[in-house]
Each structure stands twice: as structure tokens, then as C-alpha cells.
Amino acid sequence: MPVRPALAAVLGGAALLTLAAAPAHAAAPAHAATPAHAAAPAHVAGSARIAVPVHAVPVHAAPGESVTVDTVGRLAADGTVTLTGTYRCTGNTGPVFVTSALSQRDPRVKHGIGGTVARCDGTTHTWSNSGQVSGETLQPGTAHVQATVMELRPVGLVPLPVFHATADQDVTLVQG
């Protein structure tokens, strides 16, 4: 078996094992429920939906760590989406990233929107991710964003994902 497919299989298996063996607080993050998303099925088995205010709030985080999503996102004429927010993290041993995913019409369909290298020094930093989606034309208006602060922690030969903080946030996409 060539090295790249074997490495991809190992990394994929490690990610699945990490999710399956994650502690209860990490395996079942809270989700923001709004009328637009209240009827959507839970994305994680056994997860609960709770109501939270519509402003940027950390939804799930380790003590002293957080990630927020600003309530307004930008949608350029060429379809590029820019999402922003803040994060705070500590205690990393591997590279850390702030990732974001956006859904608009169907909450089950999420589009990855860029990624930012994070600095986990215990202070609050801003993040900004930009990207274009394929297969769907986004429109100005309401959308849902999930942001995650994720570390690729070295464990033996394979870096494993460690989630420092996640947040779900309804946003308004504006042209510009």
C-alpha cells in the first residue's frame, strides 16, 4: 500500500477513534438553538440543544479557553465569505487552528470557510477566515456558523485532534 493512502487511513481512523473515545463533555457539545435551527436533527448522538442569546458567546470550551463568532459576516460579489471572531487558548503542544464552517439553507450541509493559525498564549486574539463554497450560492441574510479551536497534538507517529473550544452562532451575511 502506498504511503499516502496508508497515512490517510491511519489519520482518519485516529480521528474517528478520538471522537468515539472523547469524554462526554467533548463528545456532546451544546448547540445554539434558534427557531431556524430548532427543528434540525442533532449532529452528535446524544447531544442536547439549548437556547442561548444571539450575540457572540463561547458555547463549549475548556477552562480559560473560548472562541466567539461575530454576528455579521461579509459576502463579496465573487462569493467569498469572510467570518471573524475572537479566541483564547492555553496549553498546546502541537499546532493550533481556528476553523469555521457555515450553513445557510440546510443546517445539515456545512461549508468549511478557511482556517487561521492560532497562538495559545492565554490572551484573547482575533481570527478571520475567508473562503468560497462550492455547490451552493450563498445569499445575504441569516446563516449559521460553527467555529472551533483545534490542536493537532503529537501522539506517537500520528497527530491527534484536540478541541480547545467550539461555538455555534447565527450570523447575518451582508454584501460587501
Side-chain angles (χ1 to χ4, degrees), residues 11-167:
L11 289 173
L16 289 174
L17 286 173
T18 300
L19 291 174
H25 71 277
H31 292 275
T34 62
H37 292 83
H43 297 289
V44 178
S47 69
R49 292 187 176 271
I50 59 171
V52 296
V54 181
H55 59 282
V57 295
V59 175
H60 169 73
E65 300 187 322
S66 64
V67 62
T68 66
V69 179
D70 293 338
T71 58
V72 175
R74 300 280 176 204
L75 181 60
D78 69 354
T80 300
V81 177
T82 301
L83 304 170
T84 57
T86 63
Y87 72 92
R88 181 177 185 271
C89 57
T90 60
N92 65 304
T93 57
V96 180
F97 304 92
V98 179
T99 64
S100 56
L102 177 134
S103 61
Q104 192 168 48
R105 290 175 203 37
D106 185 349
R108 297 171 297 169
V109 177
K110 296 184 183 200
H111 304 280
I113 305 295
T116 302
V117 175
R119 187 172 59 225
C120 291
D121 59 6
T123 60
T124 300
H125 300 279
T126 59
W127 63 268
S128 177
N129 291 343
S130 295
Q132 293 181 324
V133 304
S134 60
E136 180 178 1
T137 301
L138 298 174
Q139 301 293 324
T142 302
H144 189 77
V145 174
Q146 182 177 62
T148 304
V149 178
M150 182 200 65
E151 174 183 356
L152 292 176
R153 187 169 290 170
V155 177
L157 298 174
V158 179
L160 296 178
V162 174
F163 300 98
H164 288 259
T166 59

